[in-house]
Structure formats: structure tokens, C-alpha cells
Amino acid sequence: QAIDGNIAFNTGGFQPLTLDTTGGIIDAGTGTVTFGTAFLNTGLPDFANPGALLTVSGLNNVNAGTIVFNGILPPPPPPPPPPGPVLPPGGSGGTGGTGLDGQLANNQGLLDSQLGTRLPTDTTPFQQGHVSSTNYQQLYAKQIGKGKGRGLIPGATTYASDFNVEEATRLTNLGIKLGPNTGGNYIDLHAGNVVFAPSKNIVVGTHEGTVHIPAGAVALVMESGADVAVYDLHQRGTKGIQIVAGKKLISLDPGREVVLSRQKSSDFRDVMHDCKSIGFRSPKHEQINGDIRAFAMDFSIPSAIAKTVPLRNMMKSDDSMDRKAIRRIMMNAVLLEESTSHRGPFSTEDSSG
């Protein structure tokens, strides 16, 4: 079933689905692909009547702005190892295949942390099956006024998957401080705020941990030089953003944020970082090692757009890549607003203390 750029493999209410797409390509462009129950008039998911067990193979052949599984998924396999950083020729970051960093990059001896993901009880079923541009424009309008008269968070946007000299120079000219190991699919982020939206897997090195961003995902990484905040703005299907810090692997869901901090307090209110000016909710704490603590929480996507210069610019941009990325981000915002609003309001704080 294909309607208005959306594609649905419609099972009907509470019916199972077994599908193997390895024999062909499913291309919905920027539309939505739904596995499970969908509305006949829009092709979008009918969350009030979910399907039963959904067994789908060959997701690498599915191209869409959003992939929705409206039913019961089989238990997931263990998380795949994050890709190791590809350093430029002669790079000396020690992140290759040997040593402790190499073992972590290959997922050897990592402890899987659930800090960055949601529990089933964190969400409620959707009551509407259609997401339109009106929905997310209204949601954004509620937040955009809150950024007026207050300090905005500067930063840059990159769609690169190869951080060559030209791209590194462009980011540097925008105020982003990069380290000498930047090159290939690896960016050595010393300080600055960057929205990443790569078409191929990339790795972002920070002082506190390594961020693995898969193709098609959109992430905001804010490195202060002492702490780093990582935001999952969008991901394709189950291919999410992962963080390796110490010997722990932290996976993120869309609308979730992880802050890695060297500050000694286990209370997020004591963390001094610009990320606290973006709406957050229900922070949880986990000790990574003797130096680093992790704080994970929900964040408000509209608040992130209202407070950060690169995301605000994307909302006003006529560039096709910007428009495609922001549409996916805002669709996530609308869906999360409906499924997680019962968890309460978001908070903001002035990081200047």
C-alpha cells in the first residue's frame, strides 16, 4: 500500500507479519514506511490497533524518512560493535585495532548500559495516526518565543561522512575546534557544538568518549572541553547512536540525551554546561569510571531547535538537505510529544549558575 509517498505493509489489527525485503528496494523517499497496522487513507501507522509479531528482514533495503514498527518486535540481537575510527594517514590517536581503545571500538569487553534508552513504560500509545507539517510548526511555535532575548547556543551543521581538509577548514572557520586526528570518517572534536547528519557511518571523538553516528541519523554533539552532551534527534529504524565511554556502551533513542561530565557531583543540577538551557526531563545518573559520570534524560526537540543556532537556521533554510533533515527531526518531535508527554514538563537551567 503506497499513499502520498508513504508505504505501508498493512497487517490489520493484531495480525502478525513476516516479510523479507532482501530481494528488492523499498523507497519512500522522505515519507514513512510502516510495518504493521496503518490507516488506509494516509498509509501512516494506526497506533490504536497495533499488529502482532513483526518479523522483518532486509531493512538495509528500506529507504524512508521514518520507519515505524506498529506491532511486537522479536527480541533484539546483542548490539553490533560500533565501527572503529578511521584515522588519517599517519594519525596517532591510538584508536586503531590494538590497545584498550581499539578493544573498546571493536566492542570487546564493553558493558552494555541501558541509560540512554527508554523503558516500555516510558511511552504511551499514539491517539492520532497522521503527522502533518501543521503539527510540528505549531509545536515549534510554542518554543521559538522562549529563545528570544536569551543567549542562543552557537554551532555548525555538517552532512559530511569524510572529514577532509576542506570540510575541517570550513568547520574551523565556523568556530569549531578540531584535533589533529580528524580525517576519513573520524572527526576529532575538541570544542564546539555540531549537528551531524551523515550519509555514511561516522565517529566523533570527544574528550569524554567516542560517539558512533550511523548513516541517516541526526545528532547534536556539544563539547565544552570538559563535558560533552550528545542528543539523538533522529535515527533510521533501529540503527541508533551509540557512545563508548570508559568500558561502557550507551545506546540512545530519539529524544534522549546523554551528558558525560568530569564534574564530581552526581546531581545534574551541579553540572555546568550550555546543554541545560535546552529543555530536559528526569535525568538519571551512572558512574562510568573514576573520572567520568553519565547523565541521561529526555530532551525537548522543539526546545533544542529554539535554542541552538544551527537547528534554527535549518528551520528557515531553503537548502534541500536542511529541509529533509529538519522534517525528519520535527516528525520525531510530534510523535514524542504525544507518546511521552505523560512524563511531565521539561525544565531548563542557566548553566552560568
Side-chain angles (χ1 to χ4, degrees):
Q1 177 186 12
I3 301 174
D4 297 334
N6 303 315
I7 299 176
F9 293 87
N10 200 340
T11 62
F14 305 101
Q15 297 297 312
L17 171 69
T18 300
L19 180 67
D20 186 351
T21 66
T22 55
I25 300 294
I26 300 172
D27 190 355
T30 60
T32 298
V33 171
T34 300
F35 299 101
T37 312
F39 288 100
L40 296 178
N41 60 335
T42 64
L44 291 167
D46 179 4
F47 290 104
N49 299 287
L53 182 66
L54 306 177
T55 306
V56 182
S57 304
L59 287 176
N60 288 336
N61 294 338
V62 179
N63 178 46
T66 305
I67 300 174
V68 177
F69 296 90
N70 188 18
I72 301 172
L73 293 175
V86 177
L87 298 179
S92 58
T95 50
T98 61
L100 180 60
D101 287 343
Q103 292 174 4
L104 295 182
N106 290 303
N107 200 20
Q108 296 178 8
L110 285 178
L111 299 176
D112 189 14
S113 171
Q114 300 301 314
L115 191 65
T117 55
R118 291 187 179 85
L119 299 173
T121 54
D122 290 342
T123 60
T124 57
F126 294 87
Q127 298 302 313
Q128 66 183 46
H130 183 66
V131 177
S132 68
S133 60
T134 301
N135 295 138
Y136 59 70
Q137 291 288 352
Q138 290 175 345
L139 190 60
Y140 174 67
K142 294 179 182 179
Q143 293 289 336
I144 191 65
K146 298 180 180 181
K148 294 180 179 179
R150 302 183 185 183
L152 298 179
I153 299 171
T157 300
T158 179
Y159 296 98
S161 302
D162 180 5
F163 296 98
N164 54 30
V165 173
E166 181 181 2
E167 181 63 10
T169 301
R170 186 186 73 86
L171 291 172
T172 299
N173 290 338
L174 292 173
I176 308 302
K177 296 181 180 179
L178 303 179
N181 290 325
T182 297
N185 76 331
Y186 181 80
I187 181 169
D188 190 5
L189 181 61
H190 279 199
N193 311 311
V194 184
V195 175
F196 295 95
S199 59
K200 298 180 181 180
N201 296 354
I202 66 169
V203 181
V204 182
T206 74
H207 297 293
E208 298 75 31
T210 305
V211 184
H212 300 265
I213 304 175
V218 184
L220 169 62
V221 181
M222 298 173 57
E223 170 62 71
S224 70
D227 307 293
V228 65
V230 182
Y231 295 82
D232 188 330
L233 294 162
H234 175 73
Q235 66 185 47
R236 294 180 60 177
T238 57
K239 301 174 183 176
I241 296 163
Q242 295 179 308
I243 303 169
V244 175
K247 289 191 175 182
K248 291 192 176 181
L249 174 67
I250 305 172
S251 300
L252 294 182
D253 288 332
R256 293 286 287 172
E257 164 195 1
V258 167
V259 178
L260 301 178
S261 175
R262 296 182 184 273
Q263 299 179 54
K264 300 304 181 184
S265 175
S266 59
D267 190 338
F268 186 62
R269 291 175 296 183
D270 295 330
V271 173
M272 306 294 287
H273 195 284
D274 285 344
C275 68
K276 294 170 69 177
S277 65
I278 295 172
F280 62 90
R281 179 172 60 198
S282 304
K284 296 181 180 179
H285 166 261
E286 185 174 300
Q287 189 75 40
I288 298 298
N289 55 32
D291 297 322
I292 298 174
R293 300 171 186 267
F295 299 88
M297 64 211 80
D298 292 341
F299 76 94
S300 166
I301 292 178
S303 176
I305 294 173
K307 289 298 296 183
T308 60
V309 171
L311 291 174
R312 286 173 72 101
N313 289 343
M314 290 170 71
M315 285 291 294
K316 299 179 291 185
S317 174
D318 292 326
D319 180 81
S320 61
M321 297 181 73
D322 286 343
R323 299 303 303 166
K324 183 177 181 180
I326 201 66
R327 182 181 183 276
R328 292 174 174 177
I329 293 169
M330 288 306 298
M331 181 171 287
N332 284 338
V334 174
L335 296 176
L336 288 168
E337 169 76 9
E338 188 162 344
S339 64
T340 66
S341 60
H342 69 284
R343 290 176 55 78
F346 294 97
S347 302
T348 58
E349 295 181 14
D350 184 351
S351 64
S352 65

